[in-house]
């Protein structure tokens, strides 16, 4: 059985006209002889609407009930699309997370996939042309509904492709591939034909929401070829794949940005062993991901500790730090929401020097102050003021000549 997994995001299933486009992509694959697993997101805006509703009804929505609520978005999409396919004469059925079953842990709101019953799914595929699978949702060992975090349908699709040994996983969206930067922010962005898993992983981790981070982790781990392409055109898309030597020739392949950043500073923290643990262990225990950390040089045995967290975690972070600050004797906890992060990414950085210098010079030329810096072997990230975001992305994109096809 030749299996193809095709995933369609929120804008691709926004209304009947869009769903007809989806139908034509699925029918093309069927005509090529594939059995299709078609993974759908909720209709555009629906997940946000449901989350807003939860917050209106409850000051702190119960995480498991919130998952029951938001998972309905995908249920609507798969039911409606299955009706379309059946009307067109195809043997199709909808399948929800708990019916697959897609087993996850019970970390509601950001559950991780533990197991997929591939045998049971394959049995279903023997008797159906198309399984219309709800993305984003799974269930834990106690049969409670879980969701996989924002953008989680990408991960559902890649995980299903891995479990079913599909030929590839196609991610259909509203842009025709992965670009050198967000094409909706920078008109000079250039579509990439291919991108290495590690580069895509950094792009996604640094904020490029075209693929959810975990979907790329899955793709890399199980070697699933992922093709990102548009629902609304026949353009060839971008293949996310294993790295090959030619990719290393290109110093920089993309610029990512992340607006979901909040900066927190603990003032005048005592500079002695155990203080960092006293600050960051309670945050880690609360499931809060801390991104960049800077500790200043100490003056008279005290120093400032600055770090970034996701904006949605800020309230919890400040709550926890109130007690920590008291325990360790910090004088003040400050925070700043007007920041964002821009990142320069490329596997070629491993063996090319000078990338950081070029990036810093480019930002300086526009008078953009760099507040924090972090690096890995294939990326350089800077926290800057949010009002400079677009300018910084365009400036960096130009500085590395990303609108041109890469010369070596
Ligand atoms: P979907 O609803 O189909 O899952 P998303 O909104 O999650 O779509 O992801 C697609 C969006 O990702 C694009 O509309 C684009 O604005 C954004 N994006 C950010 N960075 C990039 C990039 N480097 N290449 C392509 N798209 C990007
Ligand atoms: N509907 C979910 C979200 O908006 C999952 C997804 O679209 O991938 O985050
Ligand atoms: Mg998405």
């Amino acid at each position: 059985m030749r299996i193809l997994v095709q995933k369609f995001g929120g804008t691709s299933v926004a209304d009947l006209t869009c769903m007809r486009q989806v139908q034509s992509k699925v029918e093309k694959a069927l005509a090529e002889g594939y059995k299709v697993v078609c993974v759908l997101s909720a209709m555009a805006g629906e997940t946000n609407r449901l989350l807003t509703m939860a917050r209106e009804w409850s000051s702190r929505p119960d995480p498991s009930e919130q998952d029951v609520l938001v998972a309905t978005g995908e249920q609507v999409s798969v039911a409606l699309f299955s009706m379309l396919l059946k009307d067109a004469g195809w043997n199709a059925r909808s399948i929800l997370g708990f019916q697959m079953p897609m087993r996850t842990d019970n970390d509601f709101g950001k559950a991780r996939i533990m197991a997929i019953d591939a045998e049971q799914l394959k049995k279903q595929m023997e008797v159906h042309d198309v399984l219309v699978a709800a993305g984003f949702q799974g269930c834990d060992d106690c049969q409670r509904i879980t969701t996989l975090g924002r953008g989680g349908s990408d991960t559902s699709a890649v995980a299903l492709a891995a479990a079913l040994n599909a030929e590839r996983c196609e991610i259909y969206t509203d842009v025709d591939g992965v670009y050198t930067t967000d094409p909706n922010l920078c008109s000079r962005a250039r579509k990439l034909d291919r991108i290495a898993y590690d580069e895509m992983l950094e792009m996604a981790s640094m904020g490029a929401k075209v693929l959810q981070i975990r979907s790329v982790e899955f793709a890399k781990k199980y070697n699933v070829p992922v093709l990102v392409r548009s629902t609304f055109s026949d353009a060839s898309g971008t293949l996310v794949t294993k790295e090959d030597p030619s990719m290393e020739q290109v110093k920089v392949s993309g610029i990512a940005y992340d607006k979901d950043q909040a900066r927190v500073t603990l003032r005048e923290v005592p500079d002695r062993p155990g203080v960092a643990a006293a600050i960051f262990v309670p945050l880690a225990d609360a499931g809060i991901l801390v991104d960049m950390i800077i500790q200043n040089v100490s003056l008279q045995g005290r120093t400032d500790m600055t770090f970034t967290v996701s904006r949605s975690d800020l309230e919890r972070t400040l709550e926890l730090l109130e007690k920590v600050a008291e325990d360790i004797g910090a004088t003040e906890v400050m925070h700043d929401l007007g920041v964002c992060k821009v990142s320069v990414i490329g596997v070629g950085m491993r063996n090319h020097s000078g990338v950081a210098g070029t990036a810093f010079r480019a930002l300086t030329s526009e008078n953009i102050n760099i507040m924090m810096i972090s690096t890995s072997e294939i990326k350089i990230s800077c926290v800057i003021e949010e009002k400079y975001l677009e300018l910084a992305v365009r400036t960096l994109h130009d500085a590395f000549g990303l609108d041109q096809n890469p010369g070596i």
Side-chain angles (χ1 to χ4, degrees), residues 41-42 47 74 136 150-153:
S41 289
T47 308
E74 274 66 17
F136 184 50
R150 297 310 303 270
S153 300

Side-chain angles (χ1 to χ4, degrees), residues 45-108:
E46 180 62 4
T47 308
N48 286 342
R49 188 185 74 82
L50 293 166
L51 286 170
T52 307
M53 201 173 179
R55 284 191 296 270
E56 281 166 6
W57 283 60
S58 161
S59 56
R60 228 169 237 199
D62 177 84
S64 66
E65 298 307 343
Q66 181 167 289
D67 274 0
V68 175
L69 178 71
V70 291
T72 60
E74 274 66 17
Q75 182 163 342
V76 170
S77 301
V78 293
L80 290 172
F81 187 58
S82 300
M83 290 176 196
L84 280 193
L85 289 181
K86 285 181 185 182
D87 282 357
W90 296 106
N91 193 349
R93 70 156 281 187
S94 64
I95 186 156
L96 301 176
F98 79 91
Q99 294 170 320
M100 292 172 198
M102 164 97 61
R103 286 260 169 258
T104 71
D105 62 18
N106 63 359
D107 196 359
F108 298 104

Side-chain angles (χ1 to χ4, degrees), residues 230-250:
S230 169
T231 304
F232 307 102
S233 81
D234 287 325
S236 56
T238 302
L239 186 65
V240 188
T241 180
K242 273 198 280 201
E243 190 176 325
D244 71 39
S246 71
M247 292 174 173
E248 290 237 340
Q249 306 295 318
V250 184

Side-chain angles (χ1 to χ4, degrees), residues 1-5 35-37 95 99-101 116-129 131 160-167:
M1 185 165 32
R2 292 174 68 209
I3 298 173
L4 191 65
V5 175
K35 292 270 184 166
V36 180
V37 177
I95 186 156
Q99 294 170 320
M100 292 172 198
I116 294 174
D117 191 339
E119 288 319 304
Q120 136 92 358
L121 281 170
K122 280 192 176 150
K123 272 192 207 138
Q124 289 290 337
M125 298 197 72
E126 271 160 23
V127 289
H128 291 95
D129 307 312
L131 288 187
L160 284 167
L164 294 168
N165 244 322
E167 266 184 39

Side-chain angles (χ1 to χ4, degrees), residues 84-367:
L84 280 193
L85 289 181
K86 285 181 185 182
D87 282 357
W90 296 106
N91 193 349
R93 70 156 281 187
S94 64
I95 186 156
L96 301 176
F98 79 91
Q99 294 170 320
M100 292 172 198
M102 164 97 61
R103 286 260 169 258
T104 71
D105 62 18
N106 63 359
D107 196 359
F108 298 104
K110 47 179 177 229
R112 296 188 86 95
I113 298 171
M114 311 302 284
I116 294 174
D117 191 339
E119 288 319 304
Q120 136 92 358
L121 281 170
K122 280 192 176 150
K123 272 192 207 138
Q124 289 290 337
M125 298 197 72
E126 271 160 23
V127 289
H128 291 95
D129 307 312
V130 190
L131 288 187
V132 185
F136 184 50
Q137 53 173 260
C139 69
D140 72 3
D141 283 341
C142 303
Q143 311 298 325
R144 302 254 18 191
I145 289 176
T146 56
T147 64
L148 308 179
R150 297 310 303 270
S153 300
D154 298 332
T155 304
S156 311
V158 177
L160 284 167
L164 294 168
N165 244 322
E167 266 184 39
R168 65 178 179 274
C169 179
E170 298 186 337
I171 303 281
Y172 286 90
T173 183
D174 54 3
V175 288
D176 56 15
V178 179
Y179 280 68
T180 47
T181 193
D182 186 348
N184 288 320
L185 193 88
C186 176
S187 57
R188 291 155 73 97
R190 180 173 50 83
K191 188 184 78 72
L192 300 165
D193 292 330
R194 289 182 320 148
I195 184 166
Y197 289 124
D198 281 337
E199 278 174 329
M200 193 61 239
L201 205 50
E202 285 286 9
M203 291 271 266
S205 308
M206 294 304 112
K209 66 169 184 167
V210 59
L211 286 178
Q212 197 199 34
I213 305 167
R214 285 183 188 165
S215 71
V216 191
E217 285 169 354
F218 255 105
K220 183 180 172 195
K221 185 165 171 195
Y222 296 101
N223 214 353
V224 180
V226 174
L227 188 61
V228 180
R229 58 198 314 192
S230 169
T231 304
F232 307 102
S233 81
D234 287 325
S236 56
T238 302
L239 186 65
V240 188
T241 180
K242 273 198 280 201
E243 190 176 325
D244 71 39
S246 71
M247 292 174 173
E248 290 237 340
Q249 306 295 318
V250 184
K251 260 200 224 179
V252 168
S253 46
I255 314 289
Y257 66 88
D258 190 353
K259 291 187 192 174
D260 182 22
Q261 296 276 304
R263 190 167 61 134
V264 179
T265 301
L266 276 146
R267 293 288 316 280
E268 298 187 49
V269 172
D271 192 8
R272 60 174 153 75
V275 164
I279 298 171
F280 295 115
V281 170
L283 298 181
D285 288 347
I288 296 170
L289 276 185
V290 172
D291 189 1
M292 286 192 208
I293 303 176
I294 287 188
Q295 183 178 341
N296 288 348
V297 281
S298 91
L299 285 173
Q300 283 146 4
R302 288 187 168 263
T303 178
D304 290 348
M305 185 81 90
T306 302
F307 57 91
T308 55
V309 292
S310 152
R311 286 183 190 177
S312 56
D313 286 334
L314 180 63
E315 204 182 314
R316 284 278 296 130
T317 303
L318 295 176
E319 270 171 29
L320 289 165
L321 288 183
E322 233 169 75
K323 168 144 190 350
V324 171
E326 209 179 293
D327 290 349
I328 61 174
T331 55
E332 198 183 355
V333 183
M334 295 168 12
H335 69 274
D336 181 359
L337 280 166
V339 299
C340 67
K341 182 170 70 178
V342 286
S343 305
V344 175
I345 293 146
V347 286
M349 269 185 223
R350 286 195 199 112
N351 40 24
H352 289 88
S353 56
V355 175
T358 307
F360 301 154
R361 255 197 316 275
L363 294 175
T364 308
S365 72
E366 293 295 342
N367 238 338

